Amino acid sequence: MSGGGSGGDSGSDRPDGESVGAGGAGGPRQGERIAVRLRLRGRVQGVGFRYFTRGVARELGVVGRVRNLPDGDVEIEAAGEPERVEEFKTWMRQGPPGAVVAGLHEEPLATVPAWDRFDIDSW
């Protein structure tokens, strides 16, 4: 898909130069993907958090994986368009009914893995 000159609704280049998102200079451009690792603390195990996470990710078109950690935390690695990942993080801060997210640590992943879906406990 090389994208000719006139139809621009599915291409990744924006001829008008508008930035997408909360707009820091040097941020991702539309169509680019970012990846993050999230670690959630609190009442996040035994409340369906992993299944909630997978459902939200699939709804938003975010790919990645989630797992319970031995210390009671939940770890998520997620990738997608920056706006989708931001919305995903908002949902993760809330969690499913019964969850209490007391803390969320985030770190960017240096490279965007080539995931094609969102999995539970896959690594």
Side-chain angles (χ1 to χ4, degrees):
M1 292 192 245
S2 62
S6 61
D9 51 71
S10 66
S12 61
D13 294 333
R14 299 259 328 232
D16 59 9
E18 279 190 317
S19 63
V20 176
R29 292 179 302 217
Q30 184 174 5
E32 290 187 32
R33 292 169 30 123
I34 62 168
V36 296
R37 177 178 295 121
L38 307 174
R39 186 172 179 135
L40 295 95
R41 291 183 308 282
R43 190 162 143 210
V44 293
Q45 290 191 18
V47 294
F49 211 106
R50 292 173 298 156
Y51 298 94
F52 170 81
T53 299
R54 182 177 62 186
V56 169
R58 289 179 175 175
E59 285 286 322
L60 295 174
V62 171
V63 296
R65 52 198 185 179
V66 59
R67 67 177 172 167
N68 285 339
L69 297 175
D71 64 1
D73 289 356
V74 168
E75 184 176 63
I76 302 166
E77 293 182 342
E81 295 177 4
E83 312 81 34
R84 300 295 181 120
V85 172
E86 287 302 316
E87 187 174 352
F88 176 78
K89 290 188 304 189
T90 298
W91 280 102
M92 295 306 100
R93 286 183 187 97
Q94 177 182 343
V100 177
V101 179
L104 184 150
H105 173 77
E106 175 184 348
E107 67 179 89
L109 296 179
T111 60
V112 178
W115 298 310
D116 61 355
R117 64 181 181 266
F118 200 95
D119 290 319
I120 294 175
D121 288 332
S122 63
W123 80 103

